[in-house]
Amino acid sequence: MTQPLALVLYEKLLPGTQLVNRLHDSGYRVVTVPGVEALVSSAEKERPMLVFADLVSSRAKVSEAIAKLKQNPTTTHLPVVAFVDEKDVASQNEARSAGANLVVNESALLPHLQHFLDQALHID
């Protein structure tokens, strides 16, 4: 059996690198996205099980990339876990509107990662 693949988009080293390491420790293969503009093409190419996206970016609006991911017929099914500082309510709301399945506080991401994985991958 192959390891599940997680696609991770982050610009800030913390918690981005810690998330990548924790996913590796949990048995996931991880591919990091080189930039916001490559989110959809990376998802099409890599075919991950789920996507983690840091909503902070100096280059582009991550919520717009999430919306494109959710509008693309080949990637619309992918669960997206977006994370950002709890005080950034505007980014949280934009991510929800864009179609992120979960929007979580970045300080809770690592301590509760397994719960978020279970929640994101839950099939009704």
Side-chain angles (χ1 to χ4, degrees):
M1 183 174 168
T2 61
Q3 293 176 300
L5 176 64
L7 199 63
V8 180
L9 169 67
Y10 69 94
E11 191 172 303
K12 296 183 310 185
L13 291 179
L14 294 176
T17 55
Q18 292 173 323
L19 173 60
V20 168
N21 291 336
R22 186 70 62 87
L23 287 167
H24 279 296
D25 292 346
S26 297
Y28 282 80
R29 289 181 302 124
V30 178
V31 172
T32 56
V33 180
V36 176
E37 64 284 342
L39 182 62
V40 175
S41 61
S42 293
E44 288 177 322
K45 177 184 172 202
E46 300 295 340
R47 298 180 173 258
M49 180 176 276
L50 75 159
V51 175
F52 284 88
D54 186 348
L55 295 175
V56 175
S57 175
S58 62
R59 296 184 279 193
K61 282 219 164 245
V62 177
S63 58
E64 291 175 6
I66 292 171
K68 289 178 185 174
L69 188 75
K70 289 300 194 170
Q71 293 166 359
N72 184 314
T74 60
T75 60
T76 191
H77 67 284
L78 291 174
V80 176
V81 179
F83 56 96
V84 70
D85 185 271
E86 68 180 302
K87 295 175 185 153
D88 192 348
V89 176
S91 291
Q92 292 172 22
N93 291 335
E94 288 173 5
R96 283 186 190 95
S97 295
N101 299 73
L102 292 173
V103 180
V104 301
N105 178 340
E106 68 183 14
S107 65
L109 181 63
L110 296 175
H112 301 288
L113 181 60
Q114 190 57 54
H115 173 74
F116 296 138
L117 286 167
D118 292 344
Q119 197 172 354
L121 296 173
H122 180 75
I123 299 172
D124 290 323

